Amino acid sequence: MARPDRGRGDRGSILLAFGIDAWWEGRQERVEEHALLSRLQGELAEAESHLQEWRENQRGVADAGREILANTELSRRPTVPADSIGKLIWKATFNWDADPPTGVVSSAIATGRISLIADSDLREALVLWPRSWTSGVLRRASPGTTTGA
């Protein structure tokens, strides 16, 4: 004859095993989240550096354009030698690359690993950031707007 408390013990053991398994899975996800956040931090630091360099290059383009215009006014005598105007025109028309690294965030989005990030606001910002900086650059560069410099 089976003892009535044995069934409860078996059910308790099973529930305990499920609880331990859920705890372990949650712990593993937090470890993976930490690793992903660490990689994202590195990529975002690199992107910040890249975009800062791009911004400085854009300032140089604007400065060159202003200098060209200042030296082509009919009422003023040019202050820049004629051979330097060509260099200024090249600088003013050079198309600087404004494409920061997005491999880690793109991979996390494509594979669904972005869901490992517990902070929903951070997740949303990471999903939007590659497009948001591009639209922000284009918006600031539109005629009649400032560059935010």
Side-chain angles (χ1 to χ4, degrees):
M1 179 169 196
R3 294 179 21 209
D5 54 31
R6 180 182 165 135
R8 268 189 253 161
D10 290 344
R11 283 190 300 270
S13 295
I14 291 170
L15 290 175
L16 179 62
F18 281 138
I20 290 171
D21 188 50
W23 169 83
W24 181 251
E25 186 176 320
R27 184 179 183 290
Q28 290 301 105
E29 285 180 357
R30 297 298 60 91
V31 168
E32 290 177 34
E33 176 190 27
H34 180 74
L36 175 59
L37 289 172
S38 180
R39 290 191 311 274
L40 284 167
Q41 182 180 19
E43 180 172 89
L44 291 172
E46 185 180 344
E48 179 183 28
S49 174
H50 182 90
L51 290 172
Q52 184 61 34
E53 181 180 347
W54 177 83
R55 187 176 185 176
E56 292 301 317
N57 290 331
Q58 292 304 101
R59 282 189 186 127
V61 167
D63 291 345
R66 280 191 288 278
E67 194 165 343
I68 290 168
L69 291 174
N71 282 282
T72 56
E73 290 180 18
L74 296 176
S75 62
R76 293 184 47 191
R77 182 174 176 102
T79 58
V80 175
D83 62 339
S84 295
I85 293 291
K87 291 177 185 171
L88 288 172
I89 289 171
W90 178 85
K91 187 171 185 176
T93 59
F94 189 80
N95 185 16
W96 294 99
D97 175 23
D99 189 21
T102 59
V104 174
V105 72
S106 295
S107 174
I109 292 167
T111 61
R113 309 282 296 158
I114 197 81
S115 65
L116 288 170
I117 298 174
D119 185 330
S120 61
D121 292 336
L122 177 58
R123 251 192 339 266
E124 182 179 344
L126 287 168
V127 167
L128 296 175
W129 97 263
R131 288 178 299 210
S132 66
W133 78 261
T134 304
S135 63
V137 165
L138 295 176
R139 193 172 39 255
R140 285 192 299 270
S142 298
T145 61
T146 61
T147 61

